[in-house]
Amino acid sequence: MKISGLNLDISWKNKEENFSKITEQFSDVVADIYLLPEMFATGFCMQPAEIADRNGETLKWMQEFARDKDAAVCGSVSVEDSGKFYNRMYFVKPDGSWEKYDKRHLFSFSGEDKVYTAGKERVVVNYNGFRILLQVCYDLRFPVFSRNKGDYDLALYVANWPEKRVAAWQHLLKARAIENLAGVFGLNRIGKDGNDLVYTESSHAFFADGTELSTKDGNIISAEFNLTELQDFRSHFRFLDDGDRFAIED
């Protein structure tokens, strides 16, 4: 399965401009899943009342994109739902059906927890034979939540992770792949946001042993994941069988 992500220089609070950028930069790219950064339509904005989707406008655009590409598209969006705001990750399939994951770990350092509501459900999507765990940015720092209980093969992380802390992002992505015997694809944004935070190109894809899988062509990062190879690797190194048993409490 091929995944292609866009290292997007997100236009601040400008959905239509970002949709246009994405469509153009992916125009000649063929993949099974197209991956977009955290809050790709607006940037990581702490004024959800100004930018949040209320009528599913970004989801509708994603559905059109998925149908046009005959592939899945995945990324996170600021949305209002039943009077609350969520940093919501959508996984949209070619037929327009979709699943969602609401970011559980809100970035208190920026005040995200004051304006957005944390999700509670861990979400694994089934697509093209792969079981895919959906994760957003700050979730990466909490390994208990992403602990592989034998229920996923690949984890997708989308982020707005600034340059000043990017070393942690890069090291933790590889660690999640190794400790969970899973493929990991981490997509970060690039450029500068409306708060003058700088984002450097730092997207990566790893095999379960920590081997880098990604290839880069301009702002496009791609990786091929082979389920047979992953299953074979797991059959030889059955480390998950020795993991401690525990449950996450709210």
Side-chain angles (χ1 to χ4, degrees), residues 205-223:
F206 296 106
F207 185 62
D209 63 356
T211 300
E212 177 78 51
L213 295 178
S214 66
T215 59
K216 298 179 183 179
D217 182 7
N219 288 331
I220 305 296
I221 174 172
S222 299

Side-chain angles (χ1 to χ4, degrees), residues 33 46 57 71-74 90 113 140 145 147 160-161 163 165 167 183 189 196 200 209 213 228 231 240 248 250:
I33 299 175
M46 295 301 100
E57 52 265 40
V73 60
C74 181
Y90 287 117
D113 59 320
L140 183 62
F145 187 60
R147 176 66 175 274
N160 278 211
W161 199 295
E163 182 179 37
R165 295 185 294 276
R189 66 158 292 174
D196 290 327
T200 189
D209 63 356
L213 295 178
T228 301
Q231 292 169 338
L240 295 179
I248 297 174
D250 288 332

Side-chain angles (χ1 to χ4, degrees), residues 114-225:
K114 301 296 191 299
V115 292
Y116 288 93
T117 298
K120 296 182 179 181
E121 301 298 324
R122 187 171 179 273
V123 176
V124 176
V125 173
N126 289 287
Y127 185 69
N128 282 9
F130 281 79
R131 301 166 301 166
I132 303 170
L133 177 72
L134 304 183
Q135 299 276 273
V136 179
C137 202
Y138 194 40
D139 286 329
L140 183 62
R141 288 188 179 270
F142 301 91
V144 172
F145 187 60
S146 64
R147 176 66 175 274
N148 194 344
K149 298 177 285 188
D151 60 345
Y152 73 89
D153 308 301
L154 171 66
L156 300 181
Y157 287 88
V158 298
N160 278 211
W161 199 295
E163 182 179 37
K164 63 179 67 177
R165 295 185 294 276
V166 77
W169 159 259
Q170 294 170 321
H171 290 302
L172 291 173
L173 284 173
K174 181 182 283 191
R176 296 296 161 267
I178 294 170
E179 70 193 8
N180 291 303
L181 293 184
V184 166
F185 197 121
L187 182 73
N188 202 6
R189 66 158 292 174
I190 59 173
K192 183 184 289 187
D193 69 14
N195 299 310
D196 290 327
L197 286 172
V198 175
Y199 301 83
T200 189
E201 197 288 303
S202 55
S203 300
H204 293 277
F206 296 106
F207 185 62
D209 63 356
T211 300
E212 177 78 51
L213 295 178
S214 66
T215 59
K216 298 179 183 179
D217 182 7
N219 288 331
I220 305 296
I221 174 172
S222 299
E224 295 271 0
F225 292 91

